[in-house]
Structures are given as C-alpha cells and as structure tokens.
Amino acid sequence: MDLRFGSISRDPRAIVAAVLGVSLVAAALGGALGFGLQTLGGYETVTVLAIPFTVSLLSFAAYAGVSVGTFLVTLALVFVAVEHLEDEQF
C-alpha cells in the first residue's frame, strides 16, 4: 500500500469510506451527548437557532451525523470542482 501524500485521495471508495466513518463517529458522539444531557442533565428540549429539539440519544445522533456528513460531502464537491477548474486550460 502506497502511503505517500495524495495516494488515497484518488480512490473514490476510500473517500466515501472516510466520510461515512467520520459521520458515524460524529453520530456516536452526538448520541452520547444526547444521552448525557437527558439522563445526567435532566434536559428535555434544547433550542438551536430558534429551532427546538427534543433531547434524546437518537435526535442528537441524527443531528450530528447528518450535519457532519453534509459538511464533508460539500467539502469534497468543492475539492472536485477546484481540481476540474485547475485541469482546464484557458
């Protein structure tokens, strides 16, 4: 396996696996936070940007996983777009 810089960035399967892995870790941490806030803190709802959320393991896990996944997919699309723009000759 080649571990030089940039060697893994050309493999789309590795990028998808990395995004899914990081999103799953974020979801697990969000679930742990939701569980902790609900059981240890006694919170029932929290408000984020004027949107109330029910405090639970599932709601925080979904919020964290979806938000991190959306950010990483957007970032990957920006990198792909910039790479295509650099390849074009003007």
Side-chain angles (χ1 to χ4, degrees):
M1 184 162 110
D2 189 12
L3 295 177
R4 289 179 292 166
F5 178 74
S7 63
I8 198 168
S9 66
R10 300 285 183 208
D11 187 11
R13 292 176 293 159
I15 294 171
V16 169
V19 168
L20 285 175
V22 171
S23 296
L24 286 174
V25 168
L29 292 174
L33 177 65
F35 178 76
L37 285 175
Q38 186 179 28
T39 57
L40 301 175
Y43 291 99
E44 294 180 6
T45 60
V46 293
T47 304
V48 178
L49 296 175
I51 302 171
F53 288 97
T54 302
V55 176
S56 72
L57 185 139
L58 184 60
S59 66
F60 273 56
Y63 183 77
V66 168
S67 61
V68 168
T70 302
F71 171 75
L72 291 176
V73 167
T74 304
L75 186 64
L77 290 175
V78 168
F79 285 143
V80 167
V82 168
E83 183 177 353
H84 284 294
L85 286 175
E86 287 179 348
D87 289 343
E88 289 183 7
Q89 293 179 350
F90 292 101

